[in-house]
């Protein structure tokens, strides 16, 4: 039986191939289309005749696809003149264009949704169908989104400076989408962030990678066999991936040693403290509050303030947590759920049950809604003590 194409290898080559075409004069949109056509050819022909130089093969085929498409556009004379002479076949220069592609796909002119989709397509090498399935939207809708994004960035210079913070925000958005369809976006985000970390020396890139690894290490314990959510305090810590935790901590320590603290390093430090606790009861909440104080200073984010209130409730008691919560905008997502948790912790079961039910009605997804509904039902059940 002929072995299938190595999907991970093919996708890892996409940024470099796309970069070669753009440096040769192809605009981004046309180059990306040509690369996708070359990938289709690779899937079709590589199993029977794998090339000795996969990247060189993809560059050659993609460039020819680009030339064919360009020559068909007879009215675009300047582009025709720019690509009239095909470069000779041979080894492809090892220049790494991955970083520039990240910057291009995360351009400030794009909406976050478009930037994520374009990054997954151009840098991640995913098909439009895969991206659409991951985001639970029709393929035609995703195709339009990607086409608009490609048109937006097509006129932007490939060598223009990029904003690392914008790239990191896009990768963070990808990671938080988690898993749906046949694409594991959390794993894909980790793969892309590793790739970015290899291309740019920046402590916040390392901080984001550490954060992803530490969160991903707990993935197997986050859901029960019936698919219901398992809160952090109730997770079976034996199911946490110790290898990912160890790697995440090492990456984080190296980043923190550079003394250029950023929000992703601070978030990773909080995740590391959770990972370091043998049991929920042994969590160092005092240190976690201190890291949240740093995060508030760095970001001023109301979501950070909300999470800080939970940590204060654990470190100093539920009433202190409720006092900290009073300074948070009540419209922040999960505000009511946190309020319910702190009231339950303070012994006010009636108020907590009402708030859990209210939070369930506001939940953003079915798993969270079901979890909050169960919490309300648990407190409303006569004769059952709260956990």
């Amino acid at each position: 039986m002929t072995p299938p194409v190595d999907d991970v290898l093919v996708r890892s080559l996409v940024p470099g191939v796309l970069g070669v075409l753009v440096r040769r004069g192809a605009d981004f949109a046309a180059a990306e289309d040509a690369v996708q056509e070359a990938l289709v050819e690779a899937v079709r022909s590589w199993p029977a005749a794998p090339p000795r130089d996969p990247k060189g093969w993809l560059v050659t085929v993609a460039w020819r696809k680009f030339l064919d498409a360009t020559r068909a556009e007879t009215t675009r004379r300047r582009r025709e003149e720019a690509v009239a002479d095909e470069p000779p076949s041979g080894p492809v220069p090892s220049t790494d264009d991955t970083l520039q592609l990240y910057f291009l796909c995360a351009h400030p002119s794009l909406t976050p949704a478009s930037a994520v989709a374009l990054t997954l397509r151009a840098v991640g090498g995913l098909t439009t169908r895969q991206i659409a399935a991951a985001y639970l939207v029709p393929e035609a809708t995703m195709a339009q989104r990607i086409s608009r994004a490609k048109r937006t960035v097509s006129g932007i210079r490939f060598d223009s400076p990029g904003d690392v913070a914008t790239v990191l925000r896009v990768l963070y958005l990808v990671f938080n989408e988690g898993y749906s369809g046949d694409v594991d976006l959390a794993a894909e985000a980790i793969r892309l962030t590793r790739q970015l970390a290899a291309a740019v020396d920046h402590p916040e890139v390392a901080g984001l990678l550490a954060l992803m690894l530490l969160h991903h290490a707990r993935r197997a314990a986050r859901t029960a066999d019936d698919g219901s959510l398992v809160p952090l305090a109730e997770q079976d810590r034996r199911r946490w991936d110790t290898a990912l935790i160890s790697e995440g901590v090492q990456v984080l320590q190296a980043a923190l040693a550079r003394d250029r603290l950023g929000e992703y390093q601070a978030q990773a430090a909080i995740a590391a403290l959770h990972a370091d606790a043998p049991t929920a009861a042994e969590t160092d909440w005092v240190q976690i509050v201190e890291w949240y104080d740093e995060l508030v200073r760095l970001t001023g984010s109301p979501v950070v303030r909300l999470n800080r209130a939970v940590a204060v409730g654990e470190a100093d008691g539920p009433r202190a947590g409720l006092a900290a919560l009073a300074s948070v905008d009540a419209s922040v997502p999960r505000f009511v759920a946190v309020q319910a948790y702190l009231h339950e912790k303070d012994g006010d079961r009636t108020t907590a049950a009402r708030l859990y039910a209210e939070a369930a009605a506001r939940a953003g997804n079915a798993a969270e809604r079901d979890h909050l509904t169960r919490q309300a039902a648990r407190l409303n059940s006569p004769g059952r003590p709260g956990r």
Side-chain angles (χ1 to χ4, degrees):
M1 182 176 178
T2 305
V5 173
D6 185 339
D7 184 59
V8 174
L9 168 65
V10 171
R11 283 161 50 193
S12 70
L13 296 173
V14 168
V17 175
L18 183 54
V20 170
L21 266 65
V22 173
R23 281 191 285 106
R24 286 183 178 179
D27 68 61
F28 181 85
E32 205 276 332
D33 287 341
V35 171
Q36 290 298 320
E37 290 188 43
L39 292 177
V40 172
E41 288 290 331
V43 170
R44 185 180 301 132
S45 64
W46 283 14
R52 282 184 291 182
D53 179 9
K55 181 180 178 182
W57 188 100
L58 286 171
V59 167
T60 299
V61 174
W63 184 250
R64 286 174 180 164
K65 296 287 185 183
F66 167 69
L67 289 179
D68 290 343
T70 301
R71 287 165 180 155
E73 298 286 342
T74 56
T75 59
R76 299 186 180 186
R77 185 171 303 170
R78 284 189 299 174
R79 183 192 290 175
E80 182 74 1
E81 293 171 353
V83 299
D85 298 320
E86 180 180 350
S89 300
V92 177
S94 60
T95 304
D96 187 356
D97 299 301
T98 302
L99 183 58
Q100 286 84 352
L101 286 176
Y102 273 109
F103 290 143
L104 198 60
C105 293
H107 194 270
S109 61
L110 296 173
T111 65
S114 294
V116 167
L118 191 59
T119 298
L120 289 172
R121 173 73 182 256
V123 185
L126 301 181
T127 65
T128 302
R129 183 192 62 79
Q130 288 174 314
I131 301 170
Y135 281 90
L136 305 178
V137 300
E139 185 173 350
T141 300
M142 185 57 70
Q144 290 176 351
R145 184 181 300 173
I146 292 172
S147 293
R148 286 195 299 269
K150 288 194 292 184
R151 286 197 298 271
T152 299
V153 301
S154 283
I156 298 170
R157 288 178 58 85
F158 185 65
D159 58 352
S160 58
D163 179 14
V164 172
T166 302
V167 175
L168 294 180
R169 279 195 295 274
V170 169
L171 290 173
Y172 192 48
L173 286 172
V174 174
F175 181 79
N176 285 334
E177 288 298 327
Y179 175 84
S180 61
D182 61 351
V183 179
D184 185 338
L185 290 181
E188 182 65 14
I190 291 173
R191 185 182 74 85
L192 294 177
T193 306
R194 287 188 191 279
Q195 197 175 56
L196 180 61
V200 60
D201 183 20
H202 194 294
E204 273 292 81
V205 177
L208 179 58
L209 178 58
L211 176 63
M212 289 179 177
L213 294 171
L214 289 164
H215 276 306
H216 204 55
R218 303 200 300 261
R219 175 171 171 169
R222 283 202 189 99
T223 54
D225 292 339
D226 62 0
S228 60
L229 292 178
V230 180
L232 176 61
E234 299 172 21
Q235 289 176 13
D236 182 353
R237 299 183 179 219
R238 294 170 298 180
R239 300 184 66 192
W240 290 1
D241 188 326
T242 56
L244 283 183
I245 290 173
S246 178
E247 181 186 1
V249 169
Q250 289 177 12
V251 171
L252 173 63
Q253 288 175 338
L256 291 175
R258 301 178 64 176
D259 200 22
R260 290 169 54 194
L261 184 65
E263 61 178 294
Y264 295 114
Q265 294 169 73
Q267 287 188 58
I270 292 169
L273 285 168
H274 282 298
D276 187 54
T279 66
E282 296 173 87
T283 303
D284 190 341
W285 287 107
V286 173
Q287 270 205 71
I288 287 176
V289 171
E290 292 173 356
W291 277 110
Y292 272 121
D293 288 340
E294 289 288 349
L295 263 177
V296 170
R297 180 182 63 80
L298 288 164
T299 68
S301 164
V303 174
V304 171
R305 293 182 185 276
L306 179 71
N307 291 331
R308 178 185 178 276
V310 175
V312 170
E314 298 290 350
D316 301 325
R319 295 194 179 182
L322 287 166
L325 188 65
S327 65
V328 180
D329 186 341
S331 66
V332 174
R334 296 188 64 251
F335 177 92
V336 179
V338 169
Q339 199 175 27
Y341 173 76
L342 291 172
H343 274 290
E344 180 185 357
K345 194 173 175 65
D346 193 37
D348 188 348
R349 291 168 54 88
T350 302
T351 299
R354 174 178 58 79
L355 290 171
Y356 275 130
E358 182 183 339
R362 301 184 182 188
N365 59 68
E368 184 179 357
R369 182 181 64 246
D370 291 346
H371 170 71
L372 292 168
T373 299
R374 282 193 297 271
Q375 296 297 85
R378 172 176 57 81
L379 294 181
N380 283 323
S381 297
R384 292 188 63 185
R387 288 186 295 175

